[in-house]
Amino acid sequence: MRCIIQRVSSASVTVEGVRVAEIGPGLLLLLGIEQSDTAAEIPWLSAKILNLRIFSDDQGAMNRSVLDERGEIIVVSQFTLHASTKIGNRPSFVRAARPEQAIPLYEAFVGALSEGLGKAVGTGVFGAHMEVELLNDGPVSIIIDSQQRE
């Protein structure tokens, strides 16, 4: 699973003119699931994100997590995170998981985050055309890949 983590002052997701998720300060997560991903990666990735110290403390150093801040989270599925651009100029998405594999993993990931956060996590609509708005705070954007664990 590949995740772009963005520290935000606010974020929202709109589908067909309807706002389906909206948060104040917290994290906007763009999650891509590839064919080789399994549910075994979810505990590590969700714990890493929940405990990632990317919010500023009183001295301005990044020492606080979304848990410390009691922030909110939105997770948006984004298969394009697994684009291959090796050949030609049109991206290939062959590594991205098909919906029958990706949806249960996406839902389990959202559930793990919600449980760890102690409150509901906002989501987009899997497979829908979404309009994602965010006010990136910092900006702070971090990429984590559960298969590389760097």
Side-chain angles (χ1 to χ4, degrees), residues 2-3 6 8 15-16 20 26 30-31 44 57-58 64-65 83 85 96 109 114 116 128-130 134 139 142:
R2 187 169 292 157
C3 190
Q6 296 182 302
V8 298
V15 177
E16 295 182 8
V20 297
L30 304 175
L31 181 70
W44 177 85
D57 63 15
D58 293 337
R64 296 180 56 80
S65 69
T85 57
F109 177 72
S114 181
H129 178 84
M130 295 175 268
L134 70 141
I142 295 175

Side-chain angles (χ1 to χ4, degrees), residues 78-127:
Q78 191 168 357
F79 74 93
T80 59
L81 291 178
H82 290 289
S84 173
T85 57
K86 272 186 177 179
I87 300 170
N89 294 316
R90 182 176 180 193
S92 168
F93 304 107
V94 297
R95 289 179 34 209
R98 305 280 311 146
E100 54 272 10
Q101 176 191 4
I103 291 171
L105 292 174
Y106 173 78
E107 291 173 348
F109 177 72
V110 169
L113 286 173
S114 181
E115 183 177 329
L117 194 60
K119 57 185 164 185
V121 168
T123 64
V125 175
F126 193 95

Side-chain angles (χ1 to χ4, degrees), residues 36-84:
S36 59
D37 289 329
T38 69
E41 297 164 60
I42 293 171
W44 177 85
L45 184 58
S46 60
K48 179 61 94 174
I49 291 168
L50 289 169
N51 292 291
L52 197 61
R53 296 177 1 191
I54 59 172
F55 291 87
S56 299
D57 63 15
D58 293 337
Q59 288 73 44
M62 286 192 202
N63 278 325
R64 296 180 56 80
S65 69
V66 69
L67 293 172
D68 297 328
E69 292 294 306
R70 296 186 179 165
E72 299 176 282
I73 297 176
I74 290 179
V75 182
V76 175
S77 61
Q78 191 168 357
F79 74 93
T80 59
L81 291 178
H82 290 289
S84 173

